[in-house]
Amino acid sequence: MTQNLQELIKIYSLNSHIDFSTHLLGQSKDTLIALLSELLTTYINDKNSSTIREALSVTLAGYTHNPEKLGFNGFRQNSFGKPINCEAKPKNIRSNENKKLNGGGNFTDYTWARFYKDKQEHLNMLISGFVDGKLLYLFEFSFNDTHFLKHLELQLNKKFPNGDVKGLYLRSASFSFAHYKDADIHTIYVCPQLEEYEKFLEKNLFAFLKANQC
């Protein structure tokens, strides 16, 4: 994804529609054609509808996005040059649905082997929530948070009490804000108009976001 398209997505999700329109009007015809072509290409070839939301979450958090379907969603280097990986879990709901964001996400086709690999990598989790494509929150915490690990282990134990079974998977290892609320959470972004979206957020999540709003 080019820098121009990343910037356009950021403005659309974080700023007003007036800012978005002004940004577009300031671009040349050739740039607009290139942006539209890249966006259409991304959607046409995309097997996962969350690609753009994932890319936004990863880049806003300061990671380089990995567009491949295999591997972690992003990476960066610490001050010692050691790579730090991240796993992004963007969740989007529509305003005409009777749903609420709960700070949750899930790991699909999960196994003990993958769990131990994730644990060994010391990766960071990036949790983001959108309503109609509007970013409401983005925060980060360590995958190795004790409470978070325990919640995943409980689900894996229920599915695989004696260890992994070849050809079988835990289809969805899910979680919500309640399962990592006591972790060392780094708040990266909270929508300035958060109160306008309160009805789309679970009560405990809204309270946390409100308390950490800049």
Side-chain angles (χ1 to χ4, degrees):
M1 187 178 293
T2 63
Q3 290 284 351
N4 283 341
L5 184 54
Q6 287 184 20
E7 182 63 19
L8 184 64
I9 293 170
K10 183 189 297 184
I11 293 172
Y12 181 86
S13 292
L14 272 62
N15 298 359
S16 68
H17 287 294
I18 293 176
D19 291 337
F20 179 70
S21 298
T22 301
H23 180 78
L24 285 177
L25 289 172
Q27 306 302 309
S28 69
K29 182 179 179 180
D30 287 342
T31 298
L32 290 174
I33 291 173
L35 285 169
L36 181 59
S37 296
E38 184 181 0
L39 188 60
L40 287 173
T41 301
T42 298
Y43 264 112
I44 289 172
N45 294 307
D46 185 25
K47 296 180 180 179
N48 181 354
S49 62
S50 68
T51 295
I52 288 180
R53 297 190 297 273
E54 176 187 291
L56 174 65
S57 301
V58 169
T59 54
L60 274 180
Y63 294 84
T64 298
H65 182 236
N66 173 21
E68 301 299 326
K69 298 304 177 184
L70 297 177
F72 297 118
N73 300 135
F75 62 92
R76 68 184 180 199
Q77 291 183 332
N78 64 16
S79 56
F80 300 102
K82 182 179 179 180
I84 302 173
N85 295 308
C86 71
E87 186 76 9
K89 299 298 180 183
K91 178 70 175 179
N92 183 67
I93 62 173
R94 297 181 182 274
S95 56
N96 60 359
E97 297 175 332
N98 186 26
K99 294 182 178 179
K100 289 189 176 185
L101 293 167
N102 65 358
N106 71 287
F107 296 88
T108 57
D109 295 340
Y110 215 49
T111 60
W112 280 114
R114 185 178 165 193
F115 171 79
Y116 290 128
K117 179 183 178 181
D118 291 344
K119 187 177 178 180
Q120 186 176 16
E121 287 288 341
H122 297 283
L123 76 154
N124 290 326
M125 299 295 300
L126 296 178
I127 310 299
S128 54
F130 298 74
V131 174
D132 295 333
K134 177 75 173 181
L135 179 62
L136 299 192
Y137 59 83
L138 170 62
F139 41 78
E140 178 181 32
F141 67 91
S142 171
F143 176 88
N144 285 354
D145 171 71
T146 303
H147 299 286
F148 187 67
L149 290 177
K150 183 177 180 180
H151 178 66
L152 294 178
E153 287 174 329
L154 286 172
Q155 295 177 79
L156 284 166
N157 268 319
K158 185 176 180 179
K159 179 70 176 180
F160 304 116
N162 300 312
D164 286 340
V165 178
K166 186 177 181 179
L168 294 182
Y169 304 90
L170 175 58
R171 292 303 177 190
S172 179
S174 61
F175 60 88
S176 70
F177 176 70
H179 302 118
Y180 58 84
K181 62 182 178 64
D182 296 320
D184 182 15
I185 300 174
H186 172 216
T187 304
I188 298 168
Y189 176 80
V190 177
C191 176
Q193 299 82 33
L194 185 69
E195 289 82 0
E196 298 177 18
Y197 296 90
E198 181 176 1
K199 66 180 180 180
F200 301 111
L201 297 161
E202 292 287 350
K203 188 175 181 179
N204 61 344
L205 176 60
F206 176 78
F208 169 82
L209 294 173
K210 185 65 178 174
N212 288 274
Q213 193 174 29
C214 297

